Amino acid sequence: AAVLRGREGEGFDAVVLRRRENGGRVALTVPPLETTVAGVDAESGATIRLRLVAADVASGTVEFAPA
């Protein structure tokens, strides 16, 4: 989360690792990060664009949304 602090609103490319009922597990390459994102509707292996919604250093969490 600290690496992304202050970058809210920016777009990032990610690869869908697997779909889930409520979204998808994705991997960013820059910065290297794996997370679950709600609202992802793409097949595994697809490259998608995400927008950083929040980066909370205190809790160590990040929140992305489909761009």
Side-chain angles (χ1 to χ4, degrees), residues 1-66:
V3 173
L4 293 169
R5 184 174 165 195
R7 298 181 68 180
E8 292 83 352
E10 285 188 38
F12 297 85
D13 291 323
V15 175
V16 177
L17 301 176
R18 61 190 165 275
R19 289 178 68 175
R20 297 182 176 227
E21 288 181 21
N22 61 345
R25 189 77 181 166
V26 302
L28 278 68
T29 54
V30 179
L33 174 75
E34 188 176 316
T35 189
T36 299
V37 179
V40 169
D41 186 25
E43 295 297 324
S44 296
T47 300
I48 60 172
R49 190 80 174 155
L50 300 174
R51 179 180 48 83
L52 179 61
V53 176
D56 186 333
V57 176
S59 66
T61 59
V62 293
E63 180 183 351
F64 287 91

